[in-house]
Every structure is written in structure tokens, then in C-alpha cells.
Amino acid sequence: MKLTILIHCSDQPGIISSVTQFIHRNKGNIIYLDQHVDKEAGVFFMRLESEFDMDFPLNKFKEDFNQELAQKYGMKWGVFEDGIKPKMAIFVSKYNHCLYDLLSRFNSGELQVDIPFILSNHPDLQYIADQFGIPYYHVPFTKDIRETAEQQQLDLLQEHDVDFIVLARYMQIVSPKVIDVFPHKIINIHHSFLPAFAGAKPYHAAFKRGVKIIGATSHYVTEELDAGPIIEQDVTTVSHSHSIKDFIAKGRDLEKIVLSRAVHLHVARKTIVYNNKTVIFS
Amino acid sequence: MKLTILIHCSDQPGIISSVTQFIHRNKGNIIYLDQHVDKEAGVFFMRLESEFDMDFPLNKFKEDFNQELAQKYGMKWGVFEDGIKPKMAIFVSKYNHCLYDLLSRFNSGELQVDIPFILSNHPDLQYIADQFGIPYYHVPFTKDIRETAEQQQLDLLQEHDVDFIVLARYMQIVSPKVIDVFPHKIINIHHSFLPAFAGAKPYHAAFKRGVKIIGATSHYVTEELDAGPIIEQDVTTVSHSHSIKDFIAKGRDLEKIVLSRAVHLHVARKTIVYNNKTVIFS
Amino acid sequence: MKLTILIHCSDQPGIISSVTQFIHRNKGNIIYLDQHVDKEAGVFFMRLESEFDMDFPLNKFKEDFNQELAQKYGMKWGVFEDGIKPKMAIFVSKYNHCLYDLLSRFNSGELQVDIPFILSNHPDLQYIADQFGIPYYHVPFTKDIRETAEQQQLDLLQEHDVDFIVLARYMQIVSPKVIDVFPHKIINIHHSFLPAFAGAKPYHAAFKRGVKIIGATSHYVTEELDAGPIIEQDVTTVSHSHSIKDFIAKGRDLEKIVLSRAVHLHVARKTIVYNNKTVIFS
Amino acid sequence: MKLTILIHCSDQPGIISSVTQFIHRNKGNIIYLDQHVDKEAGVFFMRLESEFDMDFPLNKFKEDFNQELAQKYGMKWGVFEDGIKPKMAIFVSKYNHCLYDLLSRFNSGELQVDIPFILSNHPDLQYIADQFGIPYYHVPFTKDIRETAEQQQLDLLQEHDVDFIVLARYMQIVSPKVIDVFPHKIINIHHSFLPAFAGAKPYHAAFKRGVKIIGATSHYVTEELDAGPIIEQDVTTVSHSHSIKDFIAKGRDLEKIVLSRAVHLHVARKTIVYNNKTVIFS
């Protein structure tokens, strides 16, 4: 059995030694250990992968971990068993490139998740859901029917026991109610290198400003628009010879790759959020 | 004799054909031609390098160009003779990496300019000017003596017949009076990918926001701070494991390379400014 | 009507002027012109886009172009009418990421081609062809049946009037007979930055050598393996912490993006081949 | 007192736990720990930074470490005290960009080393050594005087107690005798992305091959030319429009940055060599 353990707590001497001893005593073989200390914030972070025997008593391990380590050091921690696929809902609007990219990775087994459904405020991408045999829910979203739509979303998410949500160019603000239920569990792709060009039409803004580089940013969604913890960013060069249409076309390739990388990191339990920032163990 | 010709005007049919015929008639051999049309703005841009005989009558060529082409099409244009070195003043404060980079390129003949002087609001980098045998003027700049300082700067620039100014991490706002005299002839390096993190302490702001990429931007100085036409940008990746000190160290390498590229482009007459943007012929 | 004109010939004075005059006389409005001179090889290259009236006599234009320009300057040239979709065959083996990427771009209208069929030496990817409603031909290829297989390929290509072929990770050497019929019309993706790691298992070789960068290269197929004219390359960083499996996963994203860029350039008539190199007008 | 500890040995259970306990028992506060396991080779690597009290008994610590840990696990290990500057010799030929870059970093305190001397097979760069006040030894190197030259080099290196050598574009093969005395302590910069274009004139070869990317590689020197363990690589894009001269100019910027990064990593004890590869703790 393989476990991934994520820890963060205030920085104190002896944590690494205590944790590794504990694993060792429980006959675990550490196959990966990475740690980080944010000295300004005084916070310690650790990610650890360890292999155990098949008949390893997981529940007892968790109890002991809690009593011997977590309480002592004031840890926030999680233990994740390898091979259990998280349930990922995808929200889309009308653009299909990020959706196709996620589904083709899913279909080829590269992305180890279950996808209970795709949700959209438009009916346009139903045909892609059909291509891949995934349920597609069309949930219109306008001011008038906002509360109904929110409730429909929450019902679907609960019903399907969804673990996290990917906004694959979902051109709609996610309701605070949904964010509350999925804190740091909604991954968005924004089509600029944030914090530049937050909000609507970033390619148009970038074109107007005459930048020589455009980018894409995946981040966890928080209540403040495009201001959540950044998971991954990438850029590509542009020049005066590129039109806004060219920006959009070049950007599409960035968006899908950057979003997929973020989803991979999340699924592999390689992200920890604190102070509206991320620690990414890669 | 080799000439570089820069043109821009409102877009009209037949410009390229007229210009190339004109060169051909004047026994020029076009060795480089690049053009661009900004369709939104309706502006035509052209850069052309052409070789002529040694006894080529440059003044007559310019007169004819003006009468036959420039007036007809309403062109803004410039003709530049190869081999004439522009005079470049360097303004610095206390950081030395951009200064060293420019001077080593100058010293090895890579950068084809004259450097009449280095100016600083601090005495600290005098020793580098001495290493390279270039005059160094210490012109303090504080609120109280602002007008005196501006005048000293303008006097020095005029006295030495300076063509353009490079702000090699000059941590001081350049006076509008100086900008007026050198429109789109002052090149700054800002230590972020603009428009993100304009103003003071961009590395600190980038660290706080938790970005995964930092950058540097060279631009022509206009009255609005860090908002002038962008010449060149580049970025490098960072992670949670980098401290602000690491951001600054990684950024230094970006800054000096991005600034030097911008200076090269300016010296090679490969930049045209319009609508607060640049066309870069590369 | 919009035409794209590609020209190359030995470098001579007056070509640009002659061509632009010719366009102008034919009432064309040049909307894009880019030219390049390889001074070592003494070769002139030009790409030009021009708009003409609807009732423009294309055949006469071509005849005149040939007589007035092409013969005079010894040009190799091509005139391409906008909006005519080339027919693109896709060859695959078992990897699906490049295929999915091409088909999703095709499906969303980003890639303006017709895809008459997908051909494979394995039956594995039939299901993807079915998802997108494109015919899939399984043509096994082994030493024993080599000639039969070649003939089957040629028959299919001819029957469907194919313009160019994309090898989307087709792990099989293409027969010289097929290459002969499609000179510089077969685009391959090789999973290394060529010329490093040509041939089989480049990720394994890269891992063994301990490189810090891996890459992907798209090129036109010639008889010599992985030695054809390079269209596009890109790289990504790796470290000691990446396994061969990680190299392969990171490489997949490179491969599909680099291949798609090359296909786009080819379709947009932005490539000219000479001396086993490419001129890419971008 | 701050120590950096580097360890590698065959992979065994319990190493991390043993080492961190040992540090903890010696009242060290671990401020950085990174480890890596090469599963194919079965080798464990660790880098650790730890702070100790001022009156910490370093020699006893080393003895105990050796007896309790190193012998038990069969470790190759090193303990390095912070703040002791290594002695770095620089070898150059005629190109000055890497030399200038290293010296300006040295002069500004960015590079924490001592530079006892610069050695060259040409007298050309004496003036730069003079600018920075560093001794310059002109040691001609030709076939006829090879043994004398080697001996001169070895004498100078020994006399000045040199720790490691940087070949800052030293266009000469380093003698095996010198390599023997400085195993994995000679850092070279090669102007291509190795293993492509090893040997002489890589930019010419890259131009001929028509690549769209050029690179630079810093590596430890071994007897086989350009085949030593790679420390750092970077690339930049080129196109058909770049001449060999342009390749060389673009490459210069890569070379100096890549070399400086490698020197920084070496000085910070962030490199471990094994199987002709490197582990880079960054």
C-alpha cells in the first residue's frame, strides 16, 4: 500500500526527524520526501510518499499519527491512499479546447480521475460529452434564475459526490455558495499571466497594451475574481505582427496545457494552499 | 553605402510597390524589407535596408524621397546611414549588473555606440566608470533640488549631443522636461512583466501574490510611470521555494539581458513607436 | 478573392519591385509581404498575400505571372487561393495524444483541412476515429508484407486525392515510394530536439545522458531518418527528479503542440523548403 | 554556524530518519532538506542545511557522523561550513563575454568566491584582468610545448590552492593530467544543447542543419570531449532570418548566463555527480 502524506504547521525544530521516525517505526519505506519552510511566514510544509505492507492497519496509523504528531506540532495534515480516483466535475461554456484536452487525457488513462458529469450554462458542447460518453447537464445561469441555478449545481455536485471542480473556460462567475462547499477545490484557467489583465477580455487588453508576452494562469477559485492561489503559469511570445485573433489562437494552446498541468498537480496531491499562495511539490 | 529606411503612414494601396521602385530607380539593392499593417489602426509600417554605390548622392535621395513618396503618402520617415554610432548616455543609481552588462558589450565592440558619460544620483558606481574609462557625473536628485538637478541633466545631455538615454536601473523618476526633449529616446528596464507589478518593489509584490513566473520589461519612457511602449519582455520561472532574495537574483539576469536586447534593437533602428505600442522589426 | 504567393529563386536586384508592381498593375492590394535572402546560398524567398476583386481572372494572372516574372527570374513559385481546404491524411500507431489534438482542432474549425482518413498499422485507435466520424484504415506493416502495405497506402492516398500526410506518432518508417510521391508533404513529429537523439527511444537516451532539457521536433520526412527539413521545435526543462516515465509524459504535451504548429504553418502556406532547411514565414 | 551536508549511497530504508535524528541529537536545526532516489540505479541522494550553536564541535560532529552514519550506510559524504569562499581559477582564450559576466558578479559580491588568477593561452584579455585587479597568466599551449604548458598550469593551480576551475570559453582541450587532479571540479560552457553539436563550431553546424532552437550547456569536464555530466542547459529560438553571426550573438547571452548559473550551483554545493549525470538541488 502506498500513502501520500501532506503536512503543514508552524515551523519547529525536530519535525522531519519525528515524522520520519514515525514512518520508520510503522515499517514504512519512504520513497519521496520534500519539505519547505516559508521563513517569512514561519510555516513548515512537507510531502511524503511511503510504501507499507499490504496488511498495514491504515486506520490505526492515522489515529497514532494524529495523537503522536499532529496534536504535538499543531499540524494540518492529510493521508491519501494511492489508487483511489477523485471525482472531478467539469464546468464549461462554449470553448472546447480545454474540454477536449482534459477528456483525451482522461480517455487515454493519463488523467486518473472519474468524471461524473460535465456542466454548462450553454448546450453547445453536448456533442463532445456524447463523443466521450459522459453525462452533460445544461444549467442556464442568468441573474433572474441565479438562485435556482446555484441550487441545481450544488445538488448535482452533492448527488455525484464530487471531490473537485475544473472550470475549463467556464465564462461565468462561480457562486460563493459553491465556493464555500469546495474551498481550494475549484480550479480555474484564466487567459493571462495574472495579476496582469484580470477580469474580462484579457487578450484584448494585452493587445492594446502592446505586450510582447501573453500567458495563462491556473488558480484555485476564491471569492475575489481571478485573485485565488496560483497553481501554474506559462507564457508565449507575441509580436506586433499578431492580431487579437492570433493572440487568442496562441493562447488556446497555453490555456489547455496550463490547466491540465494544474489538474495533474491537484490529483497527485502535490499542492498545499496557505496565505492565498500555493506550495507545489513537483 | 548602406541605408536603413523607416516609414509609417496610413495604410494605402501601392506603397510597397512605389517605395521599391524608387529604390530600384536610385540603383539601390534592397537587402532587407519587412512591412507590417495594423489593420485595426489602419497604419502601414516598413523597414528597408538597401545598398548603394559609394558616390551615391544621399542628400538628393532624401529630397526626392520626401517629394515623391513622403508627401504623397503622408509618411513619417527616417533615413539612417550605416556606421554612424549614436551617442548613448547611461543613468544609474546603485545596482551595477545592467551597467556592467552594457559596458562589457560596449567594450567588446558588440554594442556600436559612443558613451559620452554615465550619470547617477549616487556616487557608488564611479569605480565601474573608472574601470572602463568613461566620465561619471554624480547629480544628486531630491525634491528640494529637483529643478537644479533637471537642469544639470539637460545641460550634460545637450553638451554631449546625446542621442538617447538608457536607464540601467536608475531608481528615480525622470523629469517630464527631460522626457520632452527625448521622446521615445529613453529606454527603461522595469523588473516585472508589465503591466503586472508596475511601480516600486515589484519582486516583493510578486512574492506576495505567489506568482510562478517573474519577468522584466524594457520600454520607452513616457510621462506615465511604467506605462510607455514596450520594446522587449522576458520571464523566468519561480516556485514557492524561492525567497524574495532569490527572486531578485534571478531577476537580475533577466533585467540585464532584456535591457541589452532593447538597446540593440533601438541602435539597429528596428523600433517604430505608435499608439503607445512598438513595431519591432527583428 | 485572396491569393497567397510563394516564390523562391536566385537572388537578383529588382525582384521585390517587379513583383509588387505586377500585383499593383493587376489591381491587387498587398496585405502581407515578407521576404528573406539567404546570403550564403544566394537565394531569394518571398511570401505575399494579396486581395483582388471577385471577378479577378485567376488563370490569366497565373499565365502572366509565369511569363513576366517567373521565367525572367527563374522562379519556383506557387499561387494558392484562400478558402480551399487541403486534404490531410493522418497516420498513427498506438499513441493517441497527437491524434486527439489534431482532431479536436479539426472539429472546432481551428484547423482548416479535410481529413479523408486515418491510417494505422494497428487497430487500437479505431475508437477515436469513430468518435469523430472519420474513416479508419488498418494497414498492417511488417517486413513480409511490405510491398503490399506500401501499395495499399499509395492506393488510399491516391483514391482520396490526399494533399499531405501527418505522421501523428506513426512508429513506422515511411516507404521511399510514398515519400517520392509526397516530397516535403509528409510532416513527422520526433520526440527529441533534433539532431540530438535521432532514431528510436529518444527519451531513454536523453535520460541516460542526463540532459536538463528535452524537446520535440516536427520536420518534413525525407529518405534519411529524422534528418529532413525542420519546421518547428520546442523544449521543456527536466531534472534529476524526473523518471523516464515523467520525460514521456512531459514530452507528450510538447509533441502534440509542436506537431499542430507545424501543420498550421504548412496549411497556411508559410513554409518553403530548400537545401534541406525551411524558411518559415510567421 | 551553518553546515551544508551532501550524501549519496545505495538506497536503503531508514536513512532519512537516521540522519535527521543524528542532526536533532546534535542540536542542529534543519533549515533545508532535499532528497532524491534514482530508482533505476538504486542510489539515494540527500542535501541538508542545518544551523548549530556557535560553539558547536565541528570535528567531533564529523567523526561521529562518519562512525554512526557514513560507515553504516556506505555513504559518500561531505560537510561544508558556510562562509568559506572556494578558490576559483578562470581559464579563457579570446572571447570576453563569459569572463566579464563572471567578474562583474564577483565584483558586486553576488559570486562568493576568491579568484586567485585568470589563465589564458592568449594575451588578449589581460586588459580585463587589469580592470578588475586580478593576476593574469599567459600560458601558451601548442602541441610542441604541451607538457611544459600542462606543468605550468598544474603549478599555478597548486601554488594558489585552487578548489575548482571555470573554463569561460577556453578554446583548448584540458589535459587529462589536469582533469585527474580536479575530478568534477572543472566547469565548461559548450555553445550548443548537448549532445547535439558536440565539438568545434556548433553554431555553424546548427545553422547548416536548420534548427529552430540553439542552446548552451555547462558541464563538468571529463576526458571525453563535451561528454561530461551536464549541470545546466538553456536554449533560445532562432529562425531562417538569423545568420551564423546572429546565432553567435544570441548564443553569447545564453553562454554567459548558463555558465554563471552552473558556477553558482557548484559554489552553493548543490551538485552531486554520479553515473556521468548530476543531481542538482535547486
Side-chain angles (χ1 to χ4, degrees):
Chain A
M1 183 193 292
K2 190 176 142 196
L3 298 183
T4 298
I5 303 174
L6 289 179
I7 294 166
H8 70 286
C9 57
S10 66
D11 191 26
Q12 303 149 71
I15 308 178
I16 301 173
S17 154
S18 298
V19 173
T20 55
Q21 274 180 66
F22 178 84
I23 301 291
H24 199 48
R25 265 204 330 270
N26 280 272
K27 304 215 161 59
N29 183 25
I30 297 173
I31 53 174
Y32 171 92
L33 182 156
D34 200 356
Q35 56 85 42
H36 168 63
V37 175
D38 182 326
K39 278 169 204 161
E40 294 216 357
V43 185
F44 172 88
F45 303 87
M46 189 185 224
R47 185 176 180 278
L48 190 142
E49 294 178 14
S50 185
E51 284 169 346
F52 297 87
D53 285 344
M54 287 293 285
D55 56 349
F56 171 76
L58 179 57
N59 285 333
K60 184 167 181 342
F61 177 86
K62 285 185 185 175
E63 270 169 43
D64 292 352
F65 189 98
N66 193 39
Q67 282 183 8
E68 293 181 36
L69 296 173
Q71 293 185 1
K72 179 175 173 192
Y73 291 105
M75 292 174 174
K76 295 194 180 180
W77 62 289
V79 171
F80 306 95
E81 207 181 330
D82 225 47
I84 296 179
K85 293 184 185 179
K87 290 186 182 58
M88 170 177 112
I90 306 179
F91 284 24
V92 292
S93 287
K94 293 183 170 183
Y95 295 112
N96 65 21
H97 53 288
C98 288
L99 180 60
Y100 260 133
D101 197 61
L102 289 168
L103 294 184
S104 64
R105 290 170 198 268
F106 166 68
N107 219 28
S108 64
E110 180 193 321
L111 195 55
Q112 290 290 313
V113 296
D114 285 330
I115 304 182
F117 65 87
I118 297 162
L119 182 152
S120 180
N121 53 334
H122 295 286
D124 303 55
L125 302 185
Q126 169 87 53
Y127 76 101
I128 299 178
D130 293 349
Q131 276 186 319
F132 289 83
I134 293 169
Y136 185 89
Y137 295 105
H138 174 209
V139 179
F141 198 108
T142 58
K143 269 189 192 169
D144 307 339
I145 54 165
R146 195 181 134 177
E147 292 201 10
T148 319
E150 281 170 12
Q151 198 52 53
Q152 275 184 281
Q153 292 184 0
L154 284 168
D155 289 350
L156 279 166
L157 292 164
Q158 193 174 0
E159 202 175 293
H160 290 89
D161 204 13
V162 162
D163 290 302
F164 73 106
I165 304 169
V166 176
L167 308 183
R169 298 298 311 274
Y170 178 64
M171 311 299 284
Q172 195 74 34
I173 288 172
V174 175
S175 152
K177 282 189 194 168
V178 177
I179 298 174
D180 273 359
V181 181
F182 292 89
H184 302 146
K185 290 181 176 175
I186 307 175
I187 300 173
N188 185 40
I189 179 71
H190 183 73
H191 38 315
S192 79
F193 48 84
L194 290 174
F197 309 122
K201 301 223 168 218
Y203 292 129
H204 289 74
F207 182 82
K208 188 166 185 305
R209 180 62 187 92
V211 293
K212 302 303 183 189
I213 280 175
I214 55 170
T217 304
S218 58
H219 63 94
Y220 287 116
V221 173
T222 54
E223 287 209 20
E224 193 182 340
L225 184 66
D226 297 333
I230 293 170
I231 305 168
E232 175 79 6
Q233 298 188 289
D234 207 349
V235 300
T236 192
T237 54
V238 290
S239 79
H240 65 271
S241 70
H242 292 101
S243 63
I244 291 178
K245 213 179 129 191
D246 296 329
F247 277 37
I248 292 170
K250 290 198 100 183
R252 267 196 301 259
D253 284 3
L254 274 181
E255 292 161 26
K256 72 185 188 189
I257 298 294
V258 168
L259 179 59
S260 288
R261 278 190 213 145
V263 172
H264 271 295
L265 290 167
H266 182 85
V267 169
R269 313 287 181 182
K270 292 188 169 173
T271 66
I272 296 180
V273 174
Y274 79 111
N275 286 0
N276 205 43
K277 297 166 68 169
T278 59
V279 170
I280 303 292
F281 297 104
S282 60
Chain B
M1 183 192 294
K2 189 176 141 195
L3 298 182
T4 298
I5 303 174
L6 289 179
I7 295 166
H8 70 286
C9 58
S10 65
D11 190 27
Q12 302 149 72
I15 308 178
I16 300 172
S17 152
S18 298
V19 173
T20 54
Q21 275 180 66
F22 179 84
I23 301 291
H24 199 49
R25 263 198 340 262
N26 280 272
K27 305 217 161 57
N29 183 25
I30 297 172
I31 54 173
Y32 171 93
L33 182 156
D34 200 357
Q35 56 86 43
H36 168 63
V37 175
D38 182 326
K39 277 167 205 163
E40 293 216 358
V43 184
F44 173 87
F45 303 87
M46 189 183 223
R47 185 175 181 279
L48 191 143
E49 294 177 15
S50 184
E51 285 170 345
F52 297 88
D53 285 343
M54 287 293 286
D55 58 348
F56 170 77
L58 179 56
N59 286 333
K60 186 172 181 333
F61 177 86
K62 286 185 186 177
E63 272 169 40
D64 293 353
F65 189 98
N66 192 40
Q67 282 184 9
E68 292 180 38
L69 296 173
Q71 293 186 0
K72 180 176 171 192
Y73 291 104
M75 291 173 176
K76 294 193 180 182
W77 61 290
V79 170
F80 306 96
E81 209 180 328
D82 225 46
I84 296 179
K85 293 185 185 177
K87 289 184 183 58
M88 170 177 112
I90 305 178
F91 284 23
V92 292
S93 289
K94 292 183 170 183
Y95 295 111
N96 66 21
H97 54 287
C98 288
L99 180 61
Y100 259 132
D101 197 62
L102 289 168
L103 294 184
S104 64
R105 289 170 198 269
F106 166 68
N107 219 29
S108 65
E110 180 193 321
L111 195 54
Q112 289 290 313
V113 296
D114 285 329
I115 304 181
F117 65 87
I118 297 162
L119 181 151
S120 181
N121 53 335
H122 295 287
D124 303 55
L125 302 185
Q126 170 86 51
Y127 76 101
I128 300 179
D130 293 348
Q131 276 186 318
F132 288 84
I134 294 169
Y136 185 89
Y137 295 104
H138 175 208
V139 179
F141 197 106
T142 58
K143 268 187 190 169
D144 306 339
I145 55 166
R146 193 180 136 177
E147 293 202 9
T148 321
E150 281 170 13
Q151 198 52 52
Q152 273 183 285
Q153 292 184 358
L154 285 168
D155 289 350
L156 278 166
L157 292 164
Q158 192 173 3
E159 202 175 292
H160 289 90
D161 205 13
V162 163
D163 290 302
F164 73 106
I165 303 168
V166 177
L167 309 182
R169 296 299 310 275
Y170 178 64
M171 312 298 285
Q172 195 74 36
I173 288 172
V174 175
S175 151
K177 281 189 194 167
V178 177
I179 299 174
D180 273 1
V181 183
F182 291 89
H184 302 146
K185 291 181 175 173
I186 307 175
I187 300 173
N188 185 40
I189 179 72
H190 183 74
H191 38 316
S192 79
F193 47 84
L194 290 174
F197 310 121
K201 301 225 168 215
Y203 292 129
H204 288 74
F207 182 82
K208 189 167 184 307
R209 179 64 186 91
V211 293
K212 302 303 183 187
I213 280 174
I214 56 170
T217 304
S218 57
H219 63 94
Y220 287 116
V221 173
T222 56
E223 288 209 20
E224 193 182 341
L225 183 67
D226 297 331
I230 293 170
I231 305 167
E232 175 79 4
Q233 297 187 291
D234 207 348
V235 299
T236 193
T237 54
V238 289
S239 78
H240 65 271
S241 71
H242 292 100
S243 63
I244 290 179
K245 212 179 129 190
D246 296 328
F247 276 38
I248 292 170
K250 290 198 101 182
R252 267 197 301 259
D253 284 2
L254 276 180
E255 293 161 26
K256 73 185 188 188
I257 297 293
V258 168
L259 179 59
S260 287
R261 280 191 212 144
V263 171
H264 271 295
L265 290 167
H266 182 85
V267 169
R269 312 287 181 184
K270 293 188 168 174
T271 67
I272 296 181
V273 174
Y274 80 110
N275 285 1
N276 204 45
K277 296 166 69 169
T278 59
V279 170
I280 304 291
F281 297 104
S282 59
Chain C
M1 183 192 293
K2 191 176 140 194
L3 299 182
T4 298
I5 304 174
L6 289 179
I7 295 166
H8 70 285
C9 58
S10 66
D11 190 26
Q12 303 150 69
I15 307 178
I16 300 172
S17 153
S18 298
V19 173
T20 54
Q21 274 180 69
F22 178 83
I23 301 291
H24 199 50
R25 264 201 335 266
N26 281 271
K27 304 214 162 56
N29 183 25
I30 297 173
I31 53 173
Y32 171 92
L33 181 156
D34 200 358
Q35 55 86 43
H36 169 63
V37 175
D38 182 327
K39 277 166 205 165
E40 293 215 358
V43 184
F44 172 89
F45 303 88
M46 189 185 223
R47 184 175 182 279
L48 191 143
E49 294 177 14
S50 185
E51 285 169 346
F52 297 88
D53 285 343
M54 286 294 286
D55 57 348
F56 170 77
L58 179 57
N59 287 333
K60 186 171 181 335
F61 176 85
K62 285 185 186 175
E63 272 170 39
D64 292 353
F65 189 99
N66 192 40
Q67 282 184 7
E68 293 180 37
L69 296 172
Q71 293 186 1
K72 180 177 172 193
Y73 292 104
M75 291 174 176
K76 295 194 180 180
W77 61 290
V79 170
F80 306 96
E81 209 179 328
D82 224 46
I84 296 179
K85 292 184 185 177
K87 289 187 182 55
M88 169 177 112
I90 306 178
F91 284 24
V92 292
S93 289
K94 292 182 170 184
Y95 295 112
N96 66 21
H97 54 289
C98 288
L99 180 61
Y100 260 132
D101 197 62
L102 289 168
L103 294 184
S104 64
R105 290 170 198 269
F106 167 68
N107 218 29
S108 64
E110 181 192 321
L111 195 55
Q112 289 290 313
V113 296
D114 285 329
I115 304 182
F117 65 86
I118 297 162
L119 182 151
S120 181
N121 54 335
H122 294 287
D124 304 55
L125 301 185
Q126 171 85 51
Y127 76 101
I128 299 179
D130 293 348
Q131 276 186 318
F132 289 83
I134 295 169
Y136 185 88
Y137 296 104
H138 174 208
V139 180
F141 197 107
T142 58
K143 269 189 190 168
D144 306 338
I145 55 166
R146 193 181 136 175
E147 292 201 10
T148 320
E150 280 170 13
Q151 199 52 53
Q152 275 184 281
Q153 291 184 0
L154 285 168
D155 290 350
L156 278 167
L157 292 163
Q158 193 173 1
E159 201 176 292
H160 289 89
D161 204 14
V162 162
D163 290 302
F164 73 106
I165 303 168
V166 176
L167 309 182
R169 298 298 311 274
Y170 179 64
M171 312 298 286
Q172 195 72 36
I173 289 172
V174 175
S175 151
K177 280 190 195 166
V178 177
I179 299 174
D180 273 0
V181 182
F182 292 89
H184 302 146
K185 290 180 176 174
I186 307 175
I187 300 173
N188 185 39
I189 179 71
H190 184 74
H191 38 315
S192 79
F193 48 84
L194 290 174
F197 309 123
K201 301 225 168 215
Y203 291 129
H204 289 73
F207 182 82
K208 189 167 185 306
R209 180 62 186 91
V211 294
K212 302 302 184 189
I213 280 173
I214 56 170
T217 304
S218 58
H219 63 94
Y220 287 115
V221 173
T222 56
E223 287 210 19
E224 192 181 341
L225 183 66
D226 297 331
I230 292 170
I231 306 168
E232 175 78 4
Q233 297 187 290
D234 207 347
V235 299
T236 193
T237 54
V238 289
S239 79
H240 66 272
S241 70
H242 293 101
S243 63
I244 291 179
K245 212 179 130 191
D246 296 328
F247 277 38
I248 291 170
K250 289 197 102 181
R252 266 197 302 258
D253 283 2
L254 275 180
E255 292 162 25
K256 72 184 188 188
I257 298 293
V258 168
L259 179 59
S260 287
R261 279 191 212 145
V263 171
H264 270 295
L265 290 167
H266 182 85
V267 169
R269 312 288 182 184
K270 292 188 169 173
T271 66
I272 296 180
V273 174
Y274 81 110
N275 286 0
N276 204 44
K277 295 165 68 168
T278 59
V279 170
I280 303 291
F281 298 104
S282 59
Chain D
M1 183 193 292
K2 190 176 140 195
L3 299 183
T4 298
I5 303 174
L6 290 179
I7 295 166
H8 70 286
C9 58
S10 66
D11 191 25
Q12 302 149 72
I15 308 178
I16 300 173
S17 151
S18 299
V19 173
T20 53
Q21 275 180 66
F22 179 83
I23 301 290
H24 199 48
R25 261 200 337 264
N26 280 272
K27 305 215 162 56
N29 183 26
I30 298 174
I31 53 174
Y32 170 93
L33 181 156
D34 201 357
Q35 56 84 42
H36 168 63
V37 175
D38 183 327
K39 278 168 204 162
E40 294 216 357
V43 185
F44 173 88
F45 303 87
M46 190 185 223
R47 184 176 183 277
L48 191 142
E49 293 177 15
S50 185
E51 284 169 346
F52 297 88
D53 285 343
M54 286 293 285
D55 57 348
F56 170 76
L58 179 57
N59 286 333
K60 183 166 182 343
F61 176 86
K62 286 186 187 174
E63 271 169 41
D64 292 352
F65 189 98
N66 192 39
Q67 282 183 8
E68 292 180 36
L69 296 173
Q71 291 185 2
K72 178 176 174 192
Y73 291 104
M75 292 173 176
K76 295 196 179 179
W77 62 289
V79 171
F80 305 96
E81 207 179 330
D82 224 48
I84 296 179
K85 294 185 184 179
K87 291 188 182 57
M88 169 178 114
I90 306 177
F91 284 23
V92 293
S93 288
K94 292 183 171 183
Y95 296 111
N96 65 22
H97 54 288
C98 287
L99 180 60
Y100 259 132
D101 197 60
L102 288 168
L103 294 184
S104 63
R105 289 170 199 268
F106 167 68
N107 218 29
S108 63
E110 181 192 320
L111 196 53
Q112 290 290 314
V113 296
D114 285 329
I115 304 181
F117 66 86
I118 297 162
L119 181 152
S120 180
N121 54 335
H122 295 287
D124 304 56
L125 301 185
Q126 170 85 54
Y127 76 101
I128 299 179
D130 293 348
Q131 276 185 318
F132 289 83
I134 294 169
Y136 185 89
Y137 295 105
H138 174 209
V139 179
F141 197 106
T142 58
K143 269 190 190 169
D144 306 339
I145 55 166
R146 195 182 131 174
E147 291 202 9
T148 319
E150 281 170 11
Q151 199 51 55
Q152 275 183 280
Q153 292 184 359
L154 285 168
D155 290 349
L156 278 166
L157 291 164
Q158 193 173 2
E159 201 174 295
H160 289 88
D161 203 13
V162 162
D163 290 302
F164 72 106
I165 304 169
V166 176
L167 309 182
R169 298 296 312 273
Y170 178 65
M171 312 298 285
Q172 196 74 33
I173 289 172
V174 175
S175 152
K177 282 189 194 168
V178 177
I179 297 174
D180 274 359
V181 181
F182 291 89
H184 303 145
K185 291 181 176 174
I186 308 175
I187 300 173
N188 185 40
I189 180 73
H190 184 73
H191 37 316
S192 79
F193 47 85
L194 290 174
F197 310 123
K201 299 221 169 220
Y203 292 128
H204 289 74
F207 182 83
K208 189 167 185 304
R209 180 62 187 91
V211 292
K212 302 302 184 190
I213 280 174
I214 56 170
T217 304
S218 58
H219 63 95
Y220 287 115
V221 173
T222 55
E223 286 210 21
E224 193 181 340
L225 184 65
D226 297 332
I230 292 170
I231 305 168
E232 175 78 6
Q233 300 189 287
D234 208 349
V235 300
T236 193
T237 54
V238 291
S239 79
H240 65 271
S241 71
H242 293 101
S243 63
I244 291 179
K245 213 179 128 192
D246 295 329
F247 277 37
I248 292 170
K250 289 197 100 182
R252 266 197 300 258
D253 284 1
L254 276 181
E255 293 161 25
K256 72 184 188 188
I257 297 292
V258 169
L259 179 59
S260 288
R261 279 191 212 145
V263 172
H264 270 294
L265 290 168
H266 182 85
V267 168
R269 313 289 182 182
K270 292 188 170 174
T271 66
I272 296 180
V273 174
Y274 79 110
N275 286 1
N276 204 44
K277 296 165 70 169
T278 59
V279 170
I280 304 292
F281 297 103
S282 59

